[in-house]
Amino acid sequence: MKIIFASSTTSDPDSWIRLLEEAIPGAEIVNWSDNSGTVGADLAITWSPPHDLFLREPGIQAVFNLGAGVDALLKLPGLRDNVPVIRLEDAGMAVQMAEYAVYALVRASRSFDRYQQLQGERRWEPQQDIRRRNWPVGVLGMGVMGARVAQMLAALEYPVAGWSRSGKALPDVQSFAGSDTLPAFLARTRVLINTLPLTPETRGLLNRETLGQLLPGAYLVNVGRGGHLVEDDLIPLLDSGVLSGATLDVFSQEPLPTGHPFWADPRITITPHVAAASLREETVAQVAEKIRRYRAGEALTGIVARERGY
Ligand code: NAP
Ligand code: GLV
């Protein structure tokens, strides 16, 4: 069975391949890139693979994604409908995502951004005490990432609600299910944290109209995908005071171009798509176990429902 490792962004692919070969007995894994010829691969382990991967390797029978999101992968030409795509499930990402959400939220709710400004001016000015009821958080997407974020923020005693397609029952987290409930979810939310997958249904969901339904002083945290946000709407929403700030980890174009207006806007905090990284050891262990199960014909989790797009 020929396995290829096809990632255009992983630094040091050789170390990943070495670990994967150790974890998958008998496997020989080829580092596949733009310059590789066709090797006749049976399985692919991928992240941001070259555009023509499936055209050049039509024999691929299953694809193992080195991340949670499969939006880029599902767009590639030549990926047949009957080829299973298996995504990463947590593997150490959910706790990072929850940590990132805490970082973004408390900078606003505890005035830490303001204190940083005041320090620059050598001013000792305690801001208003926090009243948690004034900071209701809404989490879009209640899957592996969103559920962990919601649980973490509920443990910090913020009022938390989660929105998903099917609803998710978690202690101390109000559940909203389906598109009909989106207006009510937005109307009770001040800090909106997006952890949705990017699909045809969710693209552009964060826009002038939806963000305009949030509570006064609203704050946006986007850790899903850049394509969720209508980026041209953001600065006008900040200028009009509908939003008080935003923390963005993902962008429609990555890296964010140096001339992009978001860089220079003090109301926007930017991180370079690092909210939850695929950690090498955890990822290798999970992918190796998924490949073992696949080859043994055992049940697998993390299979992407191609018709839903996640
Ligand atoms: P997941 O477990 O598949 O969860 C997806 C959630 O979104 C589910 O709760 C699902 O609802 C909900 N959802 C999907 N489409 C919906 C729709 N049309 N309406 C309402 N809810 C919808 O995925 P995950 O592991 O949590 O990852 C989510 C996303 O996070 C990834 O796709 C990726 O884009 C992003 N991510 C970003 C980073 C980063 O570093 N920035 C890292 C990892 C992941 P149901 O529960 O009803 O199915
Ligand atoms: C990262 O963005 C992922 O989807 O795992």
Side-chain angles (χ1 to χ4, degrees):
M1 182 158 284
K2 280 199 181 143
I3 305 180
I4 55 171
F5 182 89
S7 167
S8 54
T9 57
T10 305
S11 63
D12 195 11
D14 290 342
S15 72
W16 281 75
I17 290 173
R18 220 174 20 252
L19 283 179
L20 281 160
E21 284 180 337
E22 277 167 26
I24 307 170
E28 194 191 325
I29 302 176
V30 176
N31 188 7
W32 198 92
S33 68
D34 277 337
N35 308 321
S36 309
T38 297
V39 303
D42 300 300
L43 301 184
I45 301 171
T46 66
W47 182 250
S48 297
H51 183 72
D52 56 356
L53 172 70
F54 299 110
L55 299 175
R56 280 161 59 199
E57 296 290 349
I60 287 174
Q61 293 157 29
V63 186
F64 296 83
N65 192 44
L66 293 170
V70 290
D71 45 294
L73 187 55
L74 297 188
K75 278 195 315 215
L76 295 188
L79 174 61
R80 283 174 284 116
D81 288 346
N82 61 353
V83 170
V85 172
I86 296 103
R87 48 155 295 199
L88 208 60
E89 299 167 281
D90 192 346
M93 283 190 288
V95 68
Q96 296 175 66
M97 200 58 110
E99 189 173 55
Y100 188 98
V102 170
Y103 152 80
L105 169 64
V106 302
R107 278 189 7 252
S109 69
R110 297 289 312 276
S111 310
F112 291 138
D113 281 345
R114 178 74 185 129
Y115 288 126
Q116 197 172 359
Q117 261 180 352
L118 290 169
Q119 180 176 347
E121 300 163 28
R122 298 174 180 246
R123 284 162 63 189
W124 180 278
E125 280 181 21
Q127 304 292 298
Q128 235 182 21
D129 294 340
I130 184 170
R131 290 211 168 76
R132 279 170 158 66
R133 66 170 179 273
N134 293 339
W135 291 94
V137 181
V139 182
L140 289 167
M142 287 295 279
V144 178
M145 300 297 145
R148 187 68 177 261
V149 167
Q151 283 171 304
M152 177 73 89
L153 300 180
L156 290 175
E157 299 179 17
Y158 287 87
V160 180
W163 181 76
S164 62
R165 188 194 290 269
S166 57
K168 178 106 180 172
L170 288 175
D172 302 319
V173 177
Q174 194 183 354
S175 173
F176 289 81
S179 47
D180 291 351
T181 68
L182 187 60
F185 167 84
L186 294 171
R188 51 75 59 206
T189 293
R190 177 166 179 191
V191 178
L192 184 67
I193 302 179
N194 175 43
T195 74
L196 287 166
L198 185 62
T199 69
E201 278 181 42
T202 64
R203 180 174 286 282
L205 187 78
L206 306 173
N207 58 49
R208 195 183 300 253
E209 197 203 320
T210 51
L211 297 173
Q213 295 172 50
L214 295 168
L215 288 169
Y219 194 96
L220 172 67
V221 181
N222 189 15
V223 288
R225 285 290 183 262
H228 287 125
L229 175 64
V230 176
E231 290 180 346
D232 285 347
D233 285 357
L234 184 63
I235 291 178
L237 284 163
L238 290 162
D239 288 344
S240 63
V242 168
L243 288 181
S244 60
T247 292
L248 308 177
D249 184 54
V250 286
F251 302 88
S252 57
Q253 191 182 340
E254 295 181 3
L256 187 64
T258 47
H260 198 287
F262 288 176
W263 283 115
D265 196 313
R267 300 164 298 185
I268 302 175
T269 298
I270 291 171
T271 52
H273 199 144
V274 292
S278 298
L279 304 172
R280 194 177 52 183
E281 279 71 21
E282 289 84 339
T283 303
V284 164
Q286 187 175 117
V287 168
E289 174 59 9
K290 287 182 188 301
I291 290 180
R292 187 197 69 71
R293 286 177 166 273
Y294 172 79
R295 289 164 94 184
E298 292 175 20
L300 266 183
T301 60
I303 299 177
V304 171
R306 298 284 290 279
E307 71 291 353
R308 290 187 325 195
Y310 71 96

